Amino acid sequence: MDVVIFCGGRGTRLSEKTDIIPKALVPIGDRPILWHLMKTYSAFVHNRFILTLGYKGEMIKEYFLKYPWLHSNFEINMKQPQIPAIDEDWNVLFLDTGVKSNTGLRLHMAKEHIKGNTFMVTYGDGLGNF
């Protein structure tokens, strides 16, 4: 089942952090909120994520592109470099939905990328232990 995560807001109530990074990348411990969200969903075998990007979305893309190197030990063959193996079995679609798009428009833009009739949706800063 697909999981749509809204990662486009400015995070004005966290402005001391979000002036620099997007709200979804605000750290909890040594990992961002977004990682904790995705880790929770994947614990229930929901491993396909659609991230609707807006404000500082390029930083979220950059985080995931660098993720294998930042969060694993590895040896590199300089003639044939390869991406280090990581534990997460995630398929992540990065969907640029614009800085000014509201939540409804972001979901509408994600619609064509959702596989199946049932999906889950959450905000990129909504983390709880219920």
Side-chain angles (χ1 to χ4, degrees), residues 4-18:
V4 177
I5 304 177
F6 298 123
C7 302
R10 291 191 177 272
T12 56
R13 289 174 287 197
L14 289 172
S15 62
E16 67 277 1
K17 297 280 189 188
T18 58

Side-chain angles (χ1 to χ4, degrees), residues 28-118:
I28 296 176
D30 65 343
R31 306 285 174 111
I33 295 171
L34 181 58
W35 179 88
H36 290 283
L37 279 169
M38 294 169 73
K39 199 70 170 170
T40 300
Y41 278 101
S42 68
F44 295 95
V45 197
H46 303 296
N47 295 321
R48 185 167 188 275
F49 300 95
I50 300 170
L51 307 182
T52 61
L53 306 176
Y55 177 71
K56 297 190 183 281
E58 70 281 354
M59 293 182 78
I60 293 171
K61 291 177 183 179
E62 185 177 354
Y63 173 80
F64 283 97
L65 287 171
K66 291 181 177 179
Y67 185 86
W69 289 275
L70 296 174
H71 297 288
S72 63
N73 298 320
F74 62 93
E75 180 178 342
I76 190 167
N77 176 325
M78 297 302 285
K79 287 187 178 183
Q80 296 177 332
Q82 296 181 354
I83 297 173
I86 57 172
D87 292 334
E88 285 72 37
D89 182 21
W90 298 343
N91 183 327
V92 184
L93 171 66
F94 301 93
L95 185 61
D96 291 311
T97 55
V99 176
K100 295 184 180 182
S101 301
N102 64 26
T103 304
L105 181 55
R106 290 182 199 284
L107 184 57
H108 179 74
M109 294 171 79
K111 180 181 176 181
E112 68 182 86
H113 301 284
I114 297 169
K115 297 178 180 177
N117 294 325
T118 306

